[in-house]
Amino acid sequence: VAPSPRRPVPPSTPAAPVAPSPLDYLGFVGDYIQPDDALGVFVPSYLRDEPQAREELAELQGAVRYVDAAIGRVLAALQSAGLEENTLVLFTTDHGVALPRAKCAVYDPGLATALILRLPARDWTSGRRFAEPISNVDVFPTLLDLVGLPVNPRVQGRSFLPLLDGREYRPRDCVFGEMTYHDHYDPRRCIRTRTHKLIVNFAAARSFMDPTQSWRPRTAPAVPAAPELEYHPVVELYDLVADPNEWHDVAEQPGYAAIRRELLTRLHDWMRATDDPLLRGAVTSPLHHWAVEALESAGKQ
């Protein structure tokens, strides 16, 4: 289960324990969330296992515990009201957790999101896990399917209701991912199959965007060793069977030329089908438009 991927502002009241200034870093704790290392601290393989990383991840685990307790209160309220059996509870997030090489990236830790559904009336309860790849764009058509409403052909995604109900289901053979803006312009598009990930980068940005919103980040990626000196290649390709951490880019290796060509073609087809603006040029930021408006409005005064 993933918590909200965002970081709360640190406590600043005089009665609060000594806390870092927002100018130093933002953590995962606040006035109502405390670190949790009661069962140890899990450091994902894509991060360096360092003391300051363990400190930050303990905070993340505290946030997970808080979210888990909040969900428990929702479920208890439904049960108390007699609504548990026929109420769909759906928990998901929009991107990976706010750690390096996760949020603000299209590597797997950034694409992987929580998706938990519970509907006792259809036997959607605990103890069932699915390995089939699902995209968040599949959630909307699944909900329409569940309540018996037609799905407009223009709606992206596909219903995975048959999978949840234990009926015949043809799983996706790939998912697509994208990012354009966050802290800065860094447009990236990707295609992920069960065995490979191909990423296309559209700007001369660093290897990945730091999502910690911190002047002095406490958590560092395992790869690259010096992220401040690494920049995007145009194309990245990873063999997820041999390299599940996506540490070794094989895009330029001759042995992967065929899979590179195939995935580039499929990604291009998807971008055309979704009318991706990047195919027509760089995406202009809202700030650019506001700057032009400020210039023009000053001249009219």
Side-chain angles (χ1 to χ4, degrees), residues 3-289:
S4 169
R6 307 186 189 282
R7 296 163 177 258
V9 175
S12 57
T13 61
V18 176
S21 163
L23 297 178
D24 291 328
Y25 60 80
L26 290 182
F28 291 99
V29 295
D31 294 324
Y32 52 91
I33 299 175
Q34 298 299 320
D36 179 12
D37 59 359
L39 299 178
V41 176
F42 172 70
V43 180
S45 59
Y46 59 89
L47 300 176
R48 299 180 196 172
D49 190 345
E50 300 174 326
Q52 62 269 28
R54 287 183 165 272
E55 176 187 77
E56 184 163 49
L57 288 163
E59 295 178 3
L60 173 60
Q61 291 176 177
V64 171
R65 179 180 288 276
Y66 182 86
V67 170
D68 188 57
I71 295 171
R73 290 195 294 272
V74 171
L75 296 179
L78 289 172
Q79 185 179 48
S80 177
L83 300 173
E84 178 184 31
E85 186 72 12
N86 291 299
T87 298
L88 170 66
V89 176
L90 189 154
F91 176 74
T92 189
T93 55
D94 58 338
H95 49 68
V97 71
L99 291 169
R101 239 173 175 263
K103 178 182 174 181
C104 300
V106 291
Y107 302 116
D108 273 7
L111 292 183
T113 59
L115 180 58
I116 303 173
L117 298 97
R118 187 176 192 275
L119 182 55
R122 297 183 83 102
D123 196 29
W124 301 358
T125 53
S126 61
R128 301 174 63 199
R129 300 184 66 178
F130 300 96
E132 287 80 359
I134 298 293
S135 174
N136 262 12
V137 295
D138 298 334
V139 172
F140 179 54
T142 300
L143 296 180
L144 292 178
D145 199 6
L146 174 64
V147 298
L149 293 177
V151 180
N152 189 298
R154 296 183 60 189
V155 170
Q156 294 182 43
R158 46 184 298 203
S159 171
F160 54 92
L161 182 66
L163 174 65
L164 298 174
D165 282 341
R167 295 182 278 118
E168 183 178 353
Y169 172 74
R170 182 173 60 86
R172 285 176 167 272
D173 64 350
C174 71
V175 293
F176 298 94
E178 62 179 57
M179 182 183 76
T180 302
Y181 279 99
H182 194 263
D183 288 349
H184 58 261
Y185 184 63
D186 185 14
R188 315 182 74 187
R189 301 292 186 263
C190 79
I191 176 173
R192 189 205 192 279
T193 69
R194 288 182 179 271
T195 57
H196 294 86
K197 161 83 68 63
L198 181 132
I199 302 169
V200 176
N201 299 295
F202 292 80
R206 287 178 175 166
S207 56
F208 60 88
M209 191 183 299
D210 180 7
T212 62
Q213 299 170 284
S214 305
W215 180 250
R216 297 180 178 88
R218 292 175 290 168
T219 308
V223 172
E228 67 279 2
L229 301 177
E230 298 284 342
Y231 291 84
H232 291 322
V234 175
V235 177
E236 301 171 57
L237 177 63
Y238 298 96
D239 183 336
L240 300 178
V241 176
D243 176 30
N245 286 312
E246 301 165 283
W247 287 348
H248 307 290
D249 181 6
V250 297
E252 302 302 324
Q253 294 188 15
Y256 288 90
I259 189 68
R260 169 184 161 133
R261 185 165 52 250
E262 176 196 344
L263 295 184
L264 278 171
T265 300
R266 295 181 68 182
L267 181 58
H268 188 208
D269 289 345
W270 173 74
M271 292 178 68
R272 287 188 297 183
T274 58
D275 193 25
D276 195 316
L278 287 178
L279 295 179
R280 297 188 293 274
V283 176
T284 305
S285 72
L287 185 62
H288 181 100
H289 293 295

